[in-house]
Amino acid sequence: MKKSKLLLILLGLCMVVGPYLFYLDYKIRTKFEARRWNLPSRVYSDAFYLFPGQRISPQRLEAKLKRLSYKRISGAVKGVGEYSRNGSELTLFLHNFAYPAEEFIGFPVRLSFGNESLRSIENLGTDENLKTLRLEPELVASIFDEKMEDRTIISLAEIPEELINAAIAIEDERFYSHHGVDPLAILRAFLTDLLHLKLVQGGSTITQQLVKNYFLTSQKSLNRKINEAFMAVLLEARYSKEEILEAYFNEIYFGQKGPVSVAGVEAASYLYFSKGASQLTLAESALLAGLIRSPGKYSPLINLPQAYDRRNFVLKEMLDQEKITEKEYQSARQEEIHPAPPSKKPLGAPHFVDFLRAQLKETYGDILESEGLKIFTTLDAEAQDEAEKVIQIRLEEYEKSRPPVKKMKEEGRSLEGCLVSVQPQTGYIRAYVGGRDYQTSQFDRVSMAHRQPGSAFKPFIYLTALATKNWNWASLISDRSFTIETPEGPWSPQNYDEEEHGEVSLREALEKSYNIATSRLAMEAGLEEVVTIAKKAGIESPLEPYPSIALGAFEVTPLELVHAYTLFPNNGIRSELIPFLSVVTRDGKVLEKKSFKMNRVVSHDLAYLLNSGMKGVVERGTAASARLLGLRGLAAGKTGTTSDYRDSWFVGYTPELLTLTWVGYDDNSPSGLSGASGGLPVWVDFMRNRPSFARDFLATENVFLLEIDRKTGRRFRPGCTEKFEEVFLLGTEPEEKCR
């Protein structure tokens, strides 16, 4: 009778437990066979190139290396990611990096400096002198899902045997002999805890740890522990030890990087040692394995003495279990720990990342947060860093020293600004700052703010006039006030100095930004033609052929204005703006690759003429203070100021770089800042530190220089008022001489 009751009880248990085990098995198979983690996408800057003759100091390069998490050491450079400096020489071991369609393997190089420039680059592995050297891109941002987990998937074959052995030695000595749950380990943990009268040692196997982290939660309950044990046994019954280990090393938690959880050995290796897991030494592997128990307690970034103790304890366990030799043990114990430099915040282009994300979302949707894409952008990391700083510094200075702005600050209102910099020949966006503080305001003033450009729009008036060939820079136009009737009533433009200047040349009218003369010119050249040429240049916001267009009365975004300006330094060709170069899967497959897109708007001849006038703005006109602010070398550009000083612009360029700056208030309040006193100083602060080859804009065979008399615009001869060397397009030069 007792026997039959026992059988019934067992049968009942099987009927209850059996379906539940089947459910757990189904749950394991469904998730584990997919073996999927939501992986963040990585957004990278453009690569940084070094070459002999480049104007760069060891200090500046060292700052770059620190941002790339290279570790400075005092002795000889031996490992990946290390560098040392000795006077004018800098030795470093380059990181490995997976570029689109290319896996770069790092090697040691010696860089020699002299006369504030790089003299030579030597490959220490081959003793070869290199003509150029590429440093890997900087991480700009990671695009996470709501879990905020930083993880990079790697295969078991990529994980060093020393790391595998270290983890098994310290976390699950009997891993290869148990079947998911280790009764001996549980008993040992129980006795140890009992001896110390507190929880000292855990009895969970590696398989149980994987189950807890991958399938369950960290909630401490009997129900979870029972599920964990059942699922561990089922997992081992279905999958090999190698599959379990690979999943474990990609899943396990290794600490925090700010608000982001670092999971998996690859991400952990970069966090703690600035290199991939495959490049870890035995000592580093032991340290990483030791972190699994308590990352916060044993982190070398937080507590180096405890990190040494924990590493040596793991090494001793490996020795006792005969996973390493006595010689390896002693050598690893002597190895000095060189943790990664303190984690720096990403490059700092949050408005750009939002802009980029909005573009990519249309194509890639939610996989931006789950598939571990690599997005290689066109950002120049150094230029972006500089742009962020100059916006902050100048706006703070204005709030302290400019009375109207200072008063607004005292009332609790912050001045705003933006900067966007573009390589005109390619359309690459090199720097992008949408505001002074992303934490305070996520509004992107580069792509979203519609503002009146003011006089920054005037180059399109002069371009239209020059295109008719009825006008040249020496042509005279009246700067005397006038009034015309419009549907909105009488309209009469006024100059900012509230003066009239009589007959002036087109060059003087542009350089001095005379509103009256420019308005006359727009109407004589044709308002419809002005709209047409501005639209062709890249202005997409609504424009109407009204006289006020000459003064920049129609709103545009800074992004479309800088887009339109690309045709000036690019010899009449508009470049489509490119924020990223390629999108690559985590397996290295290129999903998208950008190429240049060019559209000719005006002839090279006309662009050269316009550039000549815009150079004059910097040399003698409204932007002449740029020289006093420290600008060196050739530059061209145009200031922009709107009514009541609501907007302060400067759009300026060299043949290599085009940069727009804007300063103002989001609510359109007056700032008291003109283009020359607000936008221009920000522009100079940024541009004076940018590399330049100091060449002029490319001329054509159809333009030439001719000495004229500035007052009359006629050919110069002795006795005339003021000699000036003016540029002309063939067939448009004056015939008469001055009197």
Side-chain angles (χ1 to χ4, degrees):
M1 192 63 144
K2 288 182 179 180
K3 195 172 183 180
S4 61
K5 282 185 178 180
L6 181 61
L7 286 171
L8 284 172
I9 292 169
L10 289 173
L11 183 61
L13 284 172
C14 288
M15 292 178 67
V16 173
V17 175
Y20 187 64
L21 291 178
F22 180 80
Y23 162 73
L24 291 179
D25 183 58
Y26 172 77
K27 186 177 180 180
I28 288 168
R29 283 186 290 111
T30 302
K31 188 170 184 180
F32 194 76
E33 287 180 9
R35 212 84 49 87
R36 289 181 58 83
W37 288 269
N38 278 2
L39 306 176
S41 291
R42 314 284 188 196
V43 180
Y44 293 97
S45 72
D46 200 359
F48 183 75
Y49 288 86
L50 295 164
F51 52 89
Q54 182 178 0
R55 293 187 65 80
I56 186 170
S57 65
Q59 294 86 353
R60 182 178 148 204
L61 180 57
E62 195 169 354
K64 173 76 172 178
L65 294 177
K66 288 178 180 177
R67 290 204 306 272
L68 288 167
S69 296
Y70 281 84
K71 297 174 290 186
R72 182 169 181 171
I73 61 171
S74 55
V77 170
K78 297 177 181 177
V80 169
E82 295 178 349
Y83 80 94
S84 66
R85 184 178 163 193
N86 182 15
S88 61
E89 287 191 344
L90 194 148
T91 305
L92 72 148
F93 204 120
L94 297 168
H95 284 136
N96 296 353
F97 193 82
Y99 290 94
E102 180 192 354
E103 189 73 33
F104 176 79
I105 305 300
F107 53 86
V109 294
R110 180 184 293 118
L111 305 164
S112 299
F113 296 83
N115 297 324
E116 298 184 352
S117 64
L118 180 59
R119 286 191 308 191
S120 64
I121 307 169
E122 181 185 0
N123 183 335
L124 295 178
T126 63
D127 295 328
E128 175 189 5
N129 283 324
L130 303 178
K131 293 182 179 179
T132 185
L133 182 71
R134 177 176 58 179
L135 291 180
E136 69 271 20
E138 291 187 33
L139 179 66
V140 176
S142 295
I143 301 175
F144 294 96
D145 65 3
E146 67 281 356
K147 284 188 175 181
M148 296 286 285
E149 285 185 342
D150 194 359
R151 177 186 282 108
T152 302
I153 302 300
I154 60 172
S155 66
L156 190 65
E158 296 174 274
I159 301 172
E161 187 177 354
E162 291 91 345
L163 179 53
I164 297 170
N165 287 337
I168 290 172
I170 199 65
E171 291 295 323
D172 190 359
E173 180 183 349
R174 287 166 39 80
F175 174 73
Y176 286 110
S177 59
H178 66 64
H179 299 288
V181 177
D182 187 356
L184 290 177
I186 294 172
L187 179 62
R188 184 173 64 243
F190 173 75
L191 293 174
T192 303
D193 294 346
L194 190 64
L195 182 65
H196 291 84
L197 298 177
K198 63 178 180 178
L199 290 172
V200 174
Q201 192 175 66
S204 296
T205 63
I206 280 176
T207 314
Q208 285 176 278
Q209 291 178 46
L210 174 61
V211 167
K212 181 183 73 173
N213 286 279
Y214 192 59
F215 297 100
L216 304 173
T217 68
S218 298
Q219 179 188 2
K220 292 183 178 180
S221 68
L222 180 61
N223 182 56
R224 196 219 76 199
K225 290 297 291 183
I226 292 171
N227 280 337
E228 180 186 296
F230 278 145
M231 293 177 80
V233 173
L234 290 170
L235 192 67
E236 293 244 4
R238 280 203 171 272
Y239 303 102
S240 69
K241 294 285 187 180
E242 287 71 24
E243 289 175 294
I244 291 168
L245 276 178
E246 182 172 288
Y248 175 78
F249 281 118
N250 281 304
E251 170 63 31
I252 204 70
Y253 171 74
F254 276 100
Q256 291 290 129
K257 185 167 62 176
V260 179
S261 298
V262 177
V265 294
E266 184 73 354
S269 185
Y270 275 104
L271 173 65
Y272 293 112
F273 301 111
S274 298
K275 58 184 174 182
S278 63
Q279 299 163 317
L280 295 174
T281 65
L282 168 59
E284 291 166 340
S285 295
L287 194 157
L288 209 58
L291 288 171
I292 295 172
R293 179 64 53 85
S294 180
K297 182 178 180 181
Y298 301 121
S299 168
L301 306 177
I302 300 171
N303 194 328
L304 200 54
Q306 283 214 315
Y308 271 110
D309 291 342
R310 181 64 174 169
R311 181 200 69 179
N312 294 341
F313 176 73
V314 175
L315 289 169
K316 185 65 168 64
E317 287 292 308
M318 295 178 75
L319 177 66
D320 292 345
Q321 295 174 33
E322 298 182 349
K323 296 184 184 296
I324 57 174
T325 66
E326 178 69 30
K327 183 179 179 181
E328 289 172 324
Y329 169 71
Q330 293 297 341
S331 176
R333 271 186 63 94
Q334 298 303 313
E335 185 175 311
E336 190 175 344
I337 296 174
H338 294 295
S343 181
K344 293 183 177 291
K345 68 172 186 173
L347 182 57
H351 290 102
F352 173 77
V353 172
D354 283 352
F355 169 70
L356 181 68
R357 187 172 185 164
Q359 290 199 344
L360 293 171
K361 198 80 172 176
E362 295 179 8
T363 305
Y364 300 102
D366 292 339
I367 72 169
L368 274 176
E369 301 169 353
S370 61
E371 295 300 318
L373 301 179
K374 291 182 178 180
I375 301 148
F376 293 91
T377 74
T378 58
L379 277 191
D380 178 332
E382 288 202 316
Q384 179 66 29
D385 189 52
E386 185 78 12
E388 296 276 354
K389 290 175 182 175
V390 299
I391 287 283
Q392 288 286 346
I393 292 169
R394 275 294 176 182
L395 295 190
E396 287 177 7
E397 181 210 311
Y398 295 160
E399 289 177 334
K400 291 176 182 176
S401 62
R402 308 294 173 90
V405 183
K406 185 177 180 180
K407 183 180 178 183
M408 296 283 270
K409 183 64 176 176
E410 289 169 353
E411 294 173 358
R413 301 166 73 181
S414 293
L415 188 66
E416 271 298 345
C418 72
L419 182 154
V420 58
S421 188
V422 174
Q423 190 176 67
Q425 289 76 23
T426 60
Y428 289 177
I429 295 175
R430 306 301 275 167
Y432 188 112
V433 182
R436 68 188 293 182
D437 185 359
Y438 184 80
Q439 299 302 317
T440 302
S441 170
Q442 290 80 51
F443 180 63
D444 177 13
R445 292 152 193 86
V446 171
S447 66
M448 296 179 180
H450 287 80
R451 312 288 303 204
Q452 290 185 347
S455 298
F457 188 82
K458 286 178 180 175
F460 300 104
I461 310 299
Y462 289 85
L463 188 64
T464 305
L466 292 170
T468 67
K469 297 187 180 180
N470 296 323
W471 301 86
N472 58 51
W473 286 123
S475 299
L476 299 180
I477 192 164
S478 172
D479 189 54
R480 296 184 180 89
S481 62
F482 67 94
T483 302
I484 63 169
E485 292 296 327
T486 72
E488 288 76 32
W491 184 77
S492 181
Q494 299 295 316
N495 289 328
Y496 277 102
D497 62 3
E498 299 181 351
E499 298 285 339
E500 298 178 16
H501 305 93
E503 295 290 311
V504 297
S505 69
L506 260 61
R507 176 175 289 278
E508 183 181 354
L510 175 67
E511 290 178 355
K512 303 298 184 182
S513 201
Y514 293 152
N515 289 339
I516 300 173
T518 304
S519 299
R520 285 186 183 276
L521 183 65
M523 290 186 291
E524 292 195 30
L527 298 176
E528 293 279 2
E529 287 73 14
V530 170
V531 171
T532 298
I533 209 163
K535 289 287 187 182
K536 285 182 178 179
I539 302 295
E540 297 178 354
S541 294
L543 299 175
E544 297 293 343
Y546 301 156
S548 59
I549 195 174
L551 308 184
F554 292 94
E555 293 180 344
V556 299
T557 67
L559 192 66
E560 60 186 321
L561 187 58
V562 82
H563 182 199
Y565 264 66
T566 60
L567 70 92
F568 302 140
N570 202 28
N571 305 321
I573 299 172
R574 184 192 74 207
S575 298
E576 297 302 316
L577 301 187
I578 299 177
F580 68 94
L581 298 168
S582 55
V583 178
V584 182
T585 68
R586 69 172 186 262
D587 300 322
K589 179 184 177 183
V590 178
L591 297 179
E592 186 175 354
K593 187 175 183 179
K594 290 287 187 181
S595 56
F596 308 151
K597 290 183 180 179
M598 305 284 186
N599 291 283
R600 180 164 289 284
V601 177
V602 296
S603 69
H604 188 163
D605 299 334
L606 277 175
Y608 184 80
L609 287 178
L610 199 284
N611 289 335
S612 174
M614 299 278 266
K615 284 194 294 182
V617 173
V618 176
E619 294 304 319
R620 296 170 296 276
T622 56
S625 59
R627 298 300 180 195
L628 299 175
L629 291 166
L631 182 69
R632 300 289 180 267
L634 177 143
K638 186 69 188 76
T639 53
T641 313
T642 57
S643 300
D644 298 324
Y645 299 93
R646 299 178 190 278
D647 300 272
S648 171
W649 300 81
F650 189 73
V651 193
Y653 52 92
T654 68
E656 298 91 23
L657 196 64
L658 162 66
T659 301
L660 174 150
T661 56
W662 170 87
V663 175
Y665 288 99
D666 288 336
D667 64 0
N668 228 19
S669 296
S671 68
L673 297 171
S674 67
S677 63
L680 180 62
V682 178
W683 185 89
V684 173
D685 288 349
F686 175 76
M687 289 292 285
R688 69 184 174 195
N689 292 322
R690 304 273 59 78
S692 175
F693 298 101
R695 60 183 176 85
D696 203 344
F697 299 99
L698 187 63
T700 72
E701 296 178 352
N702 297 322
V703 295
F704 69 101
L705 293 171
L706 179 69
E707 290 182 347
I708 64 164
D709 172 46
R710 292 199 70 176
K711 186 174 180 61
T712 63
R714 297 178 178 181
R715 289 174 181 259
F716 181 82
R717 70 178 178 183
C720 290
T721 309
E722 183 182 351
K723 182 167 67 174
F724 183 79
E725 202 169 43
E726 186 58 271
V727 61
F728 292 94
L729 183 64
L730 280 173
T732 65
E733 67 274 17
E735 295 295 332
E736 294 184 50
K737 293 183 178 181
C738 63
R739 297 174 183 175

